[in-house]
Amino acid sequence: MSATVHKIAVIPGDGIGTEVVAEGVKVLEALRDARGRPLELLHFDLGADRYLRDGTTFPAAVRDTIRDECSAVLLGAMGDPRVPGMEHARDIIFGLRFGFDLYCNIRPVACLHDSLMPLKGRTAKDCDMVVFRENTEGVYVGMGGQFKRGTPDEVAINEDLNTRKGVERIIRAAFDYARRHGRRKVHVVDKSNAMRHAHELWGRVFREVATDYPELETGHQYVDAFCFNLIRDPAQFDVVVTCNLFGDIVTDLGASLQGGLGMAASANVRPDGVGMFEPVHGSAPDIAGQGKANPLATVLTVGMLMTHLGHADDEALLIECVRTAIDRRVCTADVGGDRSTREVGDFIVELVRRG
Ligand code: ATP
């Protein structure tokens, strides 16, 4: 009996997205060939180049193929100075995130090597948390508007949307994750002292959901205090759940404890259906096309993708490969090496082949 083949949609996107995804693809192929993982890669030519060529952003046919046939999407990064309105990026990212209702943005904030830890007196083991960022609500829904634009009386409003359903499902996902992975504590991070309506809901739902997980400790921090404590003592955090906007911001701060944006991976998932996996960083136009992009965030992202497909041992292997790359300085300049994007990818592939 042959194993179910998992189809993976590959969308490189823009800038360094294309460079790091090329390495991610090599790693997926190595997992397929050396470890017998039943993977089939479907490559989609979508991004700024395609948009500028023929106006295509995110065709319905691609959406349907992903929905009906694929187990996961590997996405690079979107954003190109030639498309200042980001029309293509919006269609592709929102098409995936909102279209497939991928409400869990899971962002591990783990420092994988002592040499990457920027805090005095701390080691890598002091930073090992996972942030659950709500991914479909908050200010990202784009509700609001401008009134009397360009006049001295102008008004600009962005609504912060929080639904009971949306808040509860991300909080539950964080608790479920903590339980499944043997984590001990879940923190909710909000600003309920200022956002008295929306974040009162977050706190109330958090306390209610927590009663279903009596074995887990719980904690609450205002987002400003959380930022302060993340730098002062990251070891106190384990699993953290927060809203869309704060999740975006605090995980960039978190990335600085991991060695930078080139080390930060993420998954956009829901318990059933296709998941979308992308490094946290953007398209970085300043270094695009120069072989300087660190592909290790994408390697770690591929690891999360493999766990999603039921191969958590592949993620564990890839995390070890990344540690080895940093340890032997087979890495890009941002994390202390002098190798190119491709050389780092080749090294990881070699390690995967050796198992
Ligand atoms: P976005 O708005 O799309 O999230 P951003 O403005 O936050 O993007 P990024 O493109 O994520 O910016 O990156 C910010 C800077 O960090 C880049 O200009 C680049 O110098 C550096 N950087 C980001 N990702 C990487 C990487 N993978 N390797 C090396 N440097 C990186």
Side-chain angles (χ1 to χ4, degrees), residues 37-319:
R37 303 306 185 213
L39 304 175
E40 182 184 336
L41 306 184
L42 307 183
H43 296 271
F44 293 104
D45 172 23
L46 298 174
D49 281 343
R50 174 77 186 273
Y51 176 65
L52 291 168
R53 206 162 63 237
D54 64 11
T56 299
T57 59
F58 189 52
V62 173
R63 183 201 59 211
D64 294 349
T65 301
I66 292 174
R67 186 191 58 215
D68 300 337
E69 298 178 26
C70 294
S71 307
V73 180
L74 177 64
L75 179 75
M78 307 299 306
D80 187 301
R82 295 170 300 166
V83 191
M86 298 277 281
E87 293 84 358
H88 69 301
R90 219 179 14 247
D91 282 3
I92 295 170
I93 294 174
F94 289 178
L96 291 164
R97 196 182 292 169
F98 292 113
F100 297 136
D101 200 23
L102 303 176
Y103 63 86
C104 292
N105 186 201
I106 307 175
R107 296 185 167 196
V109 179
C111 183
L112 297 182
H113 195 277
D114 288 344
S115 69
L116 301 178
M117 169 49 73
L119 302 179
K120 198 168 76 181
R122 299 273 170 194
T123 61
K125 69 172 176 26
D126 291 321
C127 179
D128 179 18
M129 76 192 78
V130 181
V131 176
F132 275 69
R133 169 188 174 190
E134 202 292 319
N135 214 22
T136 52
E137 298 193 345
V139 295
Y140 291 78
V141 297
M143 289 169 68
Q146 296 183 334
F147 180 51
K148 297 186 180 177
R149 189 165 188 274
T151 75
D153 297 323
E154 88 176 309
V155 177
I157 293 175
N158 273 99
E159 298 288 0
D160 178 42
L161 183 99
N162 297 266
T163 67
R164 165 81 201 203
K165 175 181 143 190
V167 171
E168 180 169 343
R169 66 185 184 174
I170 186 68
I171 289 174
R172 208 166 271 289
F175 275 99
D176 280 343
Y177 177 94
R179 175 175 278 173
R180 267 201 325 278
H181 291 83
R183 298 273 183 165
R184 66 194 151 76
K185 186 159 187 172
V186 183
H187 272 92
V188 64
V189 168
D190 65 30
K191 191 65 185 164
S192 51
N193 51 350
M195 300 170 72
R196 291 187 176 275
H197 308 298
H199 287 186
E200 188 277 333
L201 174 68
W202 275 78
R204 181 159 37 90
V205 174
F206 182 81
R207 288 189 297 278
E208 283 175 25
V209 171
T211 61
D212 292 336
Y213 303 83
E215 80 279 17
L216 295 172
E217 286 175 57
T218 57
H220 163 259
Q221 299 220 344
Y222 296 127
V223 65
D224 43 345
F226 176 74
C227 291
F228 178 84
N229 287 323
L230 188 60
I231 300 304
R232 202 180 53 85
D233 177 22
Q236 68 188 281
F237 300 113
D238 197 359
V239 174
V240 172
V241 61
T242 190
C243 66
N244 205 339
L245 180 62
F246 295 169
D248 186 11
I249 297 167
V250 302
T251 54
D252 258 34
L253 183 58
S256 73
L257 303 180
Q258 298 174 264
L261 285 167
M263 298 298 297
S266 86
N268 300 265
V269 293
R270 49 178 298 121
D272 50 331
V274 66
M276 191 261 276
F277 298 80
E278 56 177 342
V280 167
H281 63 74
S283 58
D286 57 327
I287 56 166
Q290 301 168 41
K292 291 181 180 170
N294 181 351
L296 295 179
T298 303
V299 173
L300 296 168
T301 298
V302 166
M304 298 183 80
L305 187 158
M306 293 308 294
T307 291
H308 178 72
L309 302 185
H311 297 290
D313 48 338
D314 288 350
E315 182 174 16
L317 171 69
L318 292 178
I319 289 172

